[in-house]
Amino acid sequence: MDIEEFTFSSSLSTLTVTFLLLFVLKPIGGQFHVVGSLQSIVAAPGDDVILPCHVEPKFNVAGLTVEWSRPDRRPDPNDRLSRVEYVHLYRDAHEVADMKIPSYIGRTALFTDGLREGNISLRITNVTQEDEGRYRCFIPKLKSQTKFSVVRLIVAETVTTETPLHPETLSTPHPMDEFHSKGGLSRRSRLIPLVVFCVFILLCVAVAGGRFTELKH
């Protein structure tokens, strides 16, 4: 192999490794995730609570429909139309109050400014024992296979909280950083060894090319 062929081979290898690095590091379009809290939210009767839920990575959902519902709640037997009732329904940039469960009317709200950054957390005021249960945050038209998440609310007489939640600094625990909800490693964690390997190959090719050039001269 002469120096021209080796140079071409080295350049091709470099381009291949560079493309691979760009591919694995570039976020795949449309891979959004609706992420809730893995830990139950605990409150005392009469408290105001925030059920954390957001889109990761950040994405403006102000123009999309956001649904909060009670998946374990049975339909009202007196409703002949079997209409779906929501804890909170955000559609066409405003709340749809006439489709809410009556007990939540006037007690729920989204953080309007946060919607532009994918924050769809729900605030519930004056919680009661009847509010305890599972809540589902759902974005029907989100381009993702993970369009919803479930947050559990526990209402107890005695509550001990170490870190209170504030709307301004709301930070949902992020299961995608280290582990998926099923216990598997995150995509980011799985890519680290591959990235390190690619960088190593790139360095080896560069060093080998430099030594070969020195030998030719």
Side-chain angles (χ1 to χ4, degrees):
M1 178 185 293
D2 56 26
I3 189 170
E4 289 80 7
E5 293 177 344
F6 184 83
T7 301
F8 174 77
S9 178
S10 298
S11 300
L12 183 61
S13 299
T14 301
L15 288 174
T16 301
V17 174
T18 302
F19 174 79
L20 182 59
L21 285 172
L22 291 175
F23 177 76
V24 299
L25 292 178
K26 181 180 179 180
I28 300 176
Q31 293 302 307
F32 296 101
H33 302 272
V34 175
V35 182
S37 174
L38 292 180
Q39 297 181 347
S40 298
I41 306 302
V42 183
D47 283 352
D48 296 346
V49 298
I50 297 173
L51 304 184
C53 195
H54 70 275
V55 177
E56 181 68 26
K58 292 181 179 181
F59 179 72
N60 187 350
V61 298
L64 299 179
T65 296
V66 178
E67 301 176 0
W68 276 91
S69 60
R70 297 283 301 270
D72 298 334
R73 185 184 177 92
R74 296 181 179 180
D76 185 352
N78 297 321
D79 185 357
R80 297 180 179 180
L81 298 178
S82 298
R83 295 172 298 179
V84 175
E85 293 183 304
Y86 299 94
V87 174
H88 192 94
L89 176 61
Y90 173 88
R91 179 184 293 165
D92 297 328
H94 68 276
E95 179 187 357
V96 182
D98 59 355
M99 297 184 68
K100 293 182 66 172
I101 297 172
S103 61
Y104 290 97
I105 294 177
R107 298 175 50 225
T108 64
L110 299 179
F111 300 104
T112 306
D113 294 338
L115 292 173
R116 291 191 291 270
E117 295 185 352
N119 180 8
I120 59 173
S121 301
L122 181 71
R123 183 184 183 92
I124 304 178
T125 60
N126 192 24
V127 297
T128 68
Q129 195 68 47
E130 294 181 356
D131 294 331
E132 181 170 298
R134 298 167 67 242
Y135 291 75
R136 187 179 80 153
C137 50
F138 178 44
I139 304 179
K141 295 185 179 180
L142 185 67
K143 295 181 179 180
S144 171
Q145 294 182 350
T146 311
K147 299 181 180 182
F148 73 92
S149 185
V150 175
V151 181
R152 180 171 178 79
L153 172 63
I154 297 176
V155 181
E157 292 294 339
T158 303
V159 178
T160 301
T161 56
E162 297 179 356
T163 305
L165 292 174
H166 300 283
E168 297 82 1
T169 59
L170 182 63
S171 179
T172 306
H174 192 342
M176 298 299 292
D177 283 342
E178 296 297 335
F179 295 93
H180 287 302
S181 59
K182 294 183 179 179
L185 289 175
S186 68
R187 179 175 179 270
R188 183 183 303 175
S189 300
R190 295 196 303 269
L191 288 179
I192 290 177
L194 179 60
V195 172
V196 172
F197 176 75
C198 292
V199 172
F200 175 75
I201 295 298
L202 180 61
L203 291 175
C204 290
V205 171
V207 172
R211 291 182 177 178
F212 188 85
T213 302
E214 292 177 359
L215 292 175
K216 280 292 183 179
H217 290 290

